[in-house]
């Protein structure tokens, strides 16, 4: 099992920045993929960014590409999401996710909820105009 705890959310004005962190514990050795998802009230949870183990290949949703950067510190088992140029459309609960099965790296499952089976509790990001 993998346990995930997010932190770093908060309230910012449009154009501001936030850096989210996700601390992983448990069987972190077996993690194949990690990602960030977000969900606004009344909307489906959507993939924001992910990163694969090993080579660290990343993928981003079109809506955040060039504004957000996903990274990891393997020595600390910590995942990060640097969010710049935030706008009100980015307002959501942000969740960290991890998967230990290799299928998560398949294009079919990248940035898909179905590709992950471990989830954090979420951290709220609110962007005001």
């Amino acid at each position: 099992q993998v346990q995930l705890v997010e932190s770093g959310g908060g309230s910012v004005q449009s154009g501001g920045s936030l850096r989210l962190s996700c601390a992983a514990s448990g069987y972190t050795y077996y993690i194949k993929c990690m990602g960030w998802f977000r969900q606004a009230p009344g909307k489906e949870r959507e993939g924001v960014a992910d990163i694969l183990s090993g080579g660290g290949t990343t993928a981003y949703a079109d809506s955040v590409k060039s504004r957000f950067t996903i990274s990891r510190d393997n020595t600390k088992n910590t995942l990060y999401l640097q969010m710049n140029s935030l706008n009100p459309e980015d307002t959501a609960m942000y969740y960290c996710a991890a998967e230990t099965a290799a299928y998560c790296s398949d294009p079919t499952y990248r940035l898909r909820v179905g590709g992950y089976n471990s989830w954090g509790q979420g951290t709220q990001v609110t962007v005001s105009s």
Side-chain angles (χ1 to χ4, degrees), residues 68-79:
F68 292 8
T69 302
I70 188 170
S71 62
R72 64 187 180 188
D73 185 336
N74 291 329
T75 63
K76 299 180 179 179
N77 293 319
T78 301
L79 182 74

Side-chain angles (χ1 to χ4, degrees), residues 4-129:
L4 305 170
V5 179
E6 304 99 330
S7 62
S11 298
V12 298
Q13 293 182 317
S14 293
S17 298
L18 284 173
R19 184 177 176 84
L20 306 183
S21 299
C22 171
S25 61
Y27 297 99
T28 58
Y29 178 84
Y30 300 101
I31 292 175
K32 299 296 188 299
C33 310
M34 296 192 74
W36 288 98
F37 292 74
R38 66 186 182 186
Q39 186 169 23
K43 300 183 66 177
E44 294 184 359
R45 189 169 300 187
E46 63 176 351
V48 175
D50 69 18
I51 186 167
L52 307 184
S53 62
T57 301
T58 60
Y60 297 90
D62 289 341
S63 60
V64 306
K65 192 176 182 65
S66 299
R67 297 189 298 121
F68 292 8
T69 302
I70 188 170
S71 62
R72 64 187 180 188
D73 185 336
N74 291 329
T75 63
K76 299 180 179 179
N77 293 319
T78 301
L79 182 74
Y80 302 97
L81 184 67
Q82 179 65 48
M83 305 186 294
N84 299 324
S85 301
L86 287 163
N87 57 61
E89 289 71 37
D90 297 314
T91 296
M93 184 73 74
Y94 282 71
Y95 298 90
C96 176
E99 176 59 58
T100 57
Y103 73 80
C104 67
S105 63
D106 187 275
T108 301
Y109 293 97
R110 297 197 69 175
L111 297 179
R112 297 284 300 276
V113 170
Y116 296 84
N117 67 349
S118 297
W119 297 85
Q121 83 288 352
T123 184
Q124 179 67 38
V125 171
T126 302
V127 185
S128 61
S129 60

